[in-house]
Amino acid sequence: LFTRSFFAEIWLTFVFGAVFFVGVYGNALLARALARRSPHLFVQNLFEIPQLDMLRSGLRWILLAGSLVLSYLVGTWAGGQWDIYLRQQNAVEFGITDPLFGRDIGFYFFTLPFYQFLYSFVVTLLVFSFVASLLVYLAEGGLWITPRGPELGKKARLHLFSLAAVFLLLWGVHYRLELFDLLFSTRGIVSGASYADVHVEMPALKLLTYLSAVAGLLVLVSGFQQKYRLAWLGIGSLVV
């Protein structure tokens, strides 16, 4: 058991750390390439931010160092989930299904925690990829601060909106995973899904799952447009 847990921890640390680095640093490099091809349409109306000059001069090394440090931290965190990984790899069926979703009870002990782990990892990857790309566009072009507010170049807009769209699609997965948590709800008199959970909470979570997918598609479509009405409509439907 010690040998299996040790090698599982090493494998998870390396693989998830490497994937995180490639994702974050790869998006930053893509942003740099796109920023250099973006025409500076708003130079005359720019608000000057002196700190950007310092950031721009060492941006490449800042991104590399930051990506390496974050990849190490995320990889270490992923390695600490070795027990969840081994449980999923050695999952067995209990022969008993839950009354709400008809899934074998073993799913909740072996597979669901691993799905939750993967979800947390991908969301973290997307957030830091978005932030790194945003910094690059702000420092090197593609995102400009003007008296009318932030202005995005076409390529930067498509890149950032694509990341945001994937995030919203994954947010639907978040609601889907929350559905399974209803089986362990403590809101009722006894532990488990209550009447309100089944007839109110469950339909609401299903609706939010579909709305997240629609919002993601609307944001993606907005990436090809200069107006952001569809994006705000999609996001607003989730907030309201």
Coordinates of all heavy atoms in Angstrom, one line a residue, residues 101 165 167-179 201-219 233-239:
F101 N -31.1 9.0 -8.0 CA -30.5 9.0 -9.3 C -30.3 7.6 -9.9 O -29.9 7.5 -11.1 CB -29.1 9.7 -9.3 CG -29.2 11.1 -8.8 CD1 -28.7 11.4 -7.5 CD2 -29.8 12.1 -9.6 CE1 -28.8 12.7 -7.0 CE2 -29.9 13.4 -9.1 CZ -29.4 13.7 -7.8
A165 N -16.0 31.3 -21.8 CA -17.0 30.4 -22.2 C -16.8 29.0 -21.6 O -17.8 28.3 -21.2 CB -17.1 30.4 -23.7
F167 N -15.2 28.3 -19.0 CA -15.4 28.4 -17.6 C -16.9 28.2 -17.2 O -17.3 27.5 -16.3 CB -14.9 29.7 -17.0 CG -15.1 29.9 -15.5 CD1 -14.3 29.4 -14.6 CD2 -16.2 30.6 -15.1 CE1 -14.5 29.5 -13.2 CE2 -16.5 30.8 -13.8 CZ -15.6 30.3 -12.8
L168 N -17.7 28.9 -18.0 CA -19.2 28.9 -17.8 C -19.7 27.5 -18.1 O -20.6 27.0 -17.3 CB -19.9 29.9 -18.6 CG -19.7 31.4 -18.2 CD1 -20.2 32.3 -19.2 CD2 -20.3 31.6 -16.8
L169 N -19.2 26.8 -19.1 CA -19.6 25.5 -19.3 C -19.3 24.5 -18.2 O -20.1 23.7 -17.8 CB -19.0 24.9 -20.6 CG -19.5 25.6 -21.9 CD1 -18.7 25.1 -23.1 CD2 -21.0 25.3 -22.2
L170 N -18.1 24.8 -17.6 CA -17.7 24.0 -16.5 C -18.5 24.3 -15.2 O -18.7 23.5 -14.3 CB -16.2 24.2 -16.2 CG -15.2 23.3 -17.0 CD1 -13.8 23.8 -16.7 CD2 -15.4 21.9 -16.6
W171 N -19.0 25.6 -15.2 CA -19.8 25.9 -14.0 C -21.1 25.1 -14.0 O -21.7 24.8 -13.0 CB -20.1 27.4 -14.1 CG -20.6 28.0 -12.8 CD1 -21.8 28.5 -12.5 CD2 -19.8 28.1 -11.6 NE1 -21.8 28.9 -11.2 CE2 -20.6 28.7 -10.6 CE3 -18.5 27.8 -11.3 CZ2 -20.2 28.9 -9.3 CZ3 -18.0 28.0 -10.0 CH2 -18.9 28.6 -9.0
G172 N -21.5 24.7 -15.2 CA -22.7 23.8 -15.3 C -22.3 22.5 -14.7 O -23.2 21.8 -14.1
V173 N -21.1 22.0 -14.9 CA -20.6 20.8 -14.2 C -20.7 20.9 -12.7 O -21.0 20.0 -12.0 CB -19.2 20.4 -14.7 CG1 -18.7 19.2 -14.0 CG2 -19.2 20.2 -16.2
H174 N -20.4 22.1 -12.2 CA -20.4 22.4 -10.8 C -21.9 22.1 -10.3 O -22.0 21.5 -9.2 CB -20.0 23.8 -10.5 CG -20.5 24.4 -9.2 ND1 -19.8 24.0 -8.0 CD2 -21.4 25.2 -8.9 CE1 -20.4 24.6 -7.0 NE2 -21.4 25.4 -7.5
Y175 N -22.8 22.6 -11.0 CA -24.2 22.4 -10.6 C -24.6 21.0 -10.7 O -25.4 20.4 -9.8 CB -25.2 23.3 -11.4 CG -25.1 24.8 -11.1 CD1 -24.8 25.7 -12.1 CD2 -25.2 25.3 -9.8 CE1 -24.6 27.0 -11.9 CE2 -25.1 26.6 -9.6 CZ -24.8 27.5 -10.6 OH -24.7 28.8 -10.3
R176 N -24.1 20.3 -11.7 CA -24.4 18.9 -11.8 C -23.8 18.1 -10.7 O -24.5 17.2 -10.1 CB -23.7 18.4 -13.1 CG -23.9 16.9 -13.4 CD -25.3 16.5 -13.6 NE -25.5 15.1 -13.8 CZ -26.6 14.4 -13.9 NH1 -27.8 15.1 -13.7 NH2 -26.7 13.2 -14.1
L177 N -22.6 18.4 -10.2 CA -22.0 17.7 -9.1 C -22.8 18.0 -7.8 O -22.9 17.2 -6.9 CB -20.5 18.1 -8.9 CG -19.6 17.7 -10.1 CD1 -18.2 18.3 -9.9 CD2 -19.5 16.2 -10.1
E178 N -23.3 19.3 -7.7 CA -24.1 19.6 -6.5 C -25.4 18.8 -6.4 O -25.9 18.6 -5.3 CB -24.4 21.1 -6.6 CG -23.3 22.0 -6.1 CD -23.8 23.4 -5.6 OE1 -24.9 23.7 -6.0 OE2 -23.0 24.1 -5.0
L179 N -25.9 18.4 -7.6 CA -27.0 17.5 -7.5 C -26.8 16.2 -6.7 O -27.7 15.8 -5.9 CB -27.4 17.1 -9.0 CG -28.3 18.1 -9.8 CD1 -28.4 17.6 -11.2 CD2 -29.7 18.2 -9.1
E201 N -34.9 22.3 -4.9 CA -33.5 22.4 -5.1 C -33.0 21.6 -6.4 O -32.2 22.2 -7.2 CB -32.7 21.9 -3.9 CG -31.2 22.2 -3.9 CD -30.9 23.6 -3.6 OE1 -31.8 24.3 -3.2 OE2 -29.7 24.0 -3.9
M202 N -33.5 20.4 -6.6 CA -33.1 19.6 -7.7 C -33.5 20.3 -9.0 O -32.6 20.4 -9.9 CB -33.6 18.2 -7.6 CG -33.1 17.3 -8.8 SD -33.8 15.6 -8.7 CE -33.1 15.1 -7.2
P203 N -34.7 20.7 -9.2 CA -35.1 21.4 -10.5 C -34.3 22.7 -10.7 O -33.9 23.0 -11.8 CB -36.6 21.7 -10.3 CG -37.1 20.6 -9.4 CD -35.9 20.5 -8.4
A204 N -34.0 23.4 -9.6 CA -33.3 24.6 -9.7 C -31.8 24.4 -10.2 O -31.3 25.1 -11.1 CB -33.2 25.4 -8.4
L205 N -31.2 23.3 -9.7 CA -29.8 23.0 -10.1 C -29.8 22.5 -11.5 O -28.9 22.8 -12.3 CB -29.3 21.9 -9.1 CG -28.9 22.4 -7.7 CD1 -28.5 21.2 -6.8 CD2 -27.8 23.4 -7.7
K206 N -30.8 21.7 -11.9 CA -30.9 21.3 -13.3 C -31.0 22.5 -14.2 O -30.4 22.6 -15.3 CB -32.0 20.3 -13.5 CG -31.8 19.0 -12.9 CD -33.0 18.0 -13.1 CE -32.7 16.6 -12.5 NZ -33.9 15.7 -12.8
L207 N -31.9 23.4 -13.9 CA -32.1 24.7 -14.7 C -30.8 25.4 -14.8 O -30.4 25.9 -15.9 CB -33.2 25.5 -14.0 CG -33.4 26.9 -14.7 CD1 -33.8 26.7 -16.2 CD2 -34.4 27.7 -14.0
L208 N -30.1 25.6 -13.7 CA -28.8 26.3 -13.7 C -27.7 25.6 -14.5 O -26.9 26.3 -15.1 CB -28.3 26.5 -12.2 CG -29.1 27.5 -11.4 CD1 -28.6 27.4 -9.9 CD2 -28.9 28.9 -11.9
T209 N -27.8 24.3 -14.5 CA -26.9 23.5 -15.4 C -27.1 23.9 -16.9 O -26.1 24.2 -17.6 CB -27.1 22.0 -15.2 OG1 -26.9 21.7 -13.9 CG2 -26.1 21.2 -16.1
Y210 N -28.3 24.0 -17.3 CA -28.6 24.3 -18.7 C -28.3 25.8 -19.0 O -27.8 26.2 -20.0 CB -30.1 24.0 -19.0 CG -30.4 22.6 -18.9 CD1 -31.5 22.1 -18.2 CD2 -29.7 21.6 -19.6 CE1 -31.8 20.8 -18.1 CE2 -30.0 20.3 -19.5 CZ -31.1 19.8 -18.8 OH -31.3 18.5 -18.7
L211 N -28.6 26.6 -18.0 CA -28.3 28.1 -18.2 C -26.8 28.3 -18.3 O -26.4 29.2 -19.0 CB -28.9 28.9 -17.0 CG -30.4 29.0 -17.0 CD1 -30.9 29.8 -15.7 CD2 -30.9 29.8 -18.2
S212 N -26.0 27.6 -17.5 CA -24.6 27.7 -17.6 C -24.1 27.4 -19.0 O -23.2 28.1 -19.6 CB -23.9 26.8 -16.6 OG -24.2 27.2 -15.3
A213 N -24.6 26.3 -19.6 CA -24.3 26.0 -21.0 C -24.7 27.0 -22.0 O -23.9 27.4 -22.9 CB -24.9 24.6 -21.3
V214 N -25.9 27.6 -21.8 CA -26.4 28.6 -22.7 C -25.5 29.9 -22.5 O -25.1 30.5 -23.5 CB -27.8 28.9 -22.4 CG1 -28.3 30.2 -23.2 CG2 -28.7 27.8 -22.8
A215 N -25.2 30.2 -21.3 CA -24.4 31.4 -21.0 C -23.0 31.2 -21.7 O -22.4 32.2 -22.3 CB -24.2 31.6 -19.5
G216 N -22.4 30.0 -21.6 CA -21.1 29.8 -22.2 C -21.2 30.0 -23.7 O -20.3 30.6 -24.3
L217 N -22.2 29.5 -24.3 CA -22.4 29.6 -25.8 C -22.6 31.1 -26.2 O -22.0 31.6 -27.2 CB -23.5 28.8 -26.3 CG -23.3 27.3 -26.2 CD1 -24.6 26.6 -26.6 CD2 -22.2 26.8 -27.1
L218 N -23.3 31.8 -25.4 CA -23.5 33.3 -25.7 C -22.3 34.1 -25.6 O -22.0 35.0 -26.4 CB -24.6 33.8 -24.8 CG -26.0 33.3 -25.0 CD1 -27.0 33.9 -24.0 CD2 -26.5 33.7 -26.4
V219 N -21.5 33.7 -24.5 CA -20.2 34.4 -24.4 C -19.2 34.1 -25.5 O -18.5 35.0 -26.0 CB -19.5 34.0 -23.0 CG1 -18.1 34.5 -22.9 CG2 -20.3 34.6 -21.9
L233 N -26.1 39.1 -21.3 CA -27.4 38.4 -21.2 C -27.2 37.0 -20.6 O -28.0 36.6 -19.7 CB -28.1 38.3 -22.5 CG -29.4 37.5 -22.6 CD1 -30.5 38.2 -21.8 CD2 -29.9 37.3 -24.0
G234 N -26.2 36.3 -21.1 CA -25.9 34.9 -20.6 C -25.5 34.9 -19.1 O -26.0 34.2 -18.3
I235 N -24.6 35.8 -18.8 CA -24.1 35.9 -17.4 C -25.2 36.4 -16.5 O -25.4 35.9 -15.3 CB -22.9 36.9 -17.3 CG1 -21.7 36.3 -18.1 CG2 -22.4 37.1 -15.9 CD1 -20.5 37.2 -18.3
G236 N -26.0 37.4 -16.9 CA -27.1 37.9 -16.1 C -28.1 36.8 -15.8 O -28.7 36.8 -14.7
S237 N -28.4 35.9 -16.7 CA -29.3 34.9 -16.5 C -28.9 34.0 -15.3 O -29.7 33.4 -14.6 CB -29.6 34.0 -17.7 OG -28.4 33.3 -18.1
L238 N -27.6 33.8 -15.1 CA -27.1 33.0 -14.0 C -27.1 33.8 -12.7 O -27.5 33.2 -11.7 CB -25.6 32.6 -14.3 CG -25.4 31.5 -15.3 CD1 -23.9 31.2 -15.6 CD2 -26.1 30.2 -14.8
V239 N -26.8 35.1 -12.8 CA -26.8 35.9 -11.6 C -28.2 36.1 -11.0 O -28.4 36.0 -9.8 CB -26.1 37.2 -11.9 CG1 -26.2 38.1 -10.6 CG2 -24.7 37.1 -12.3

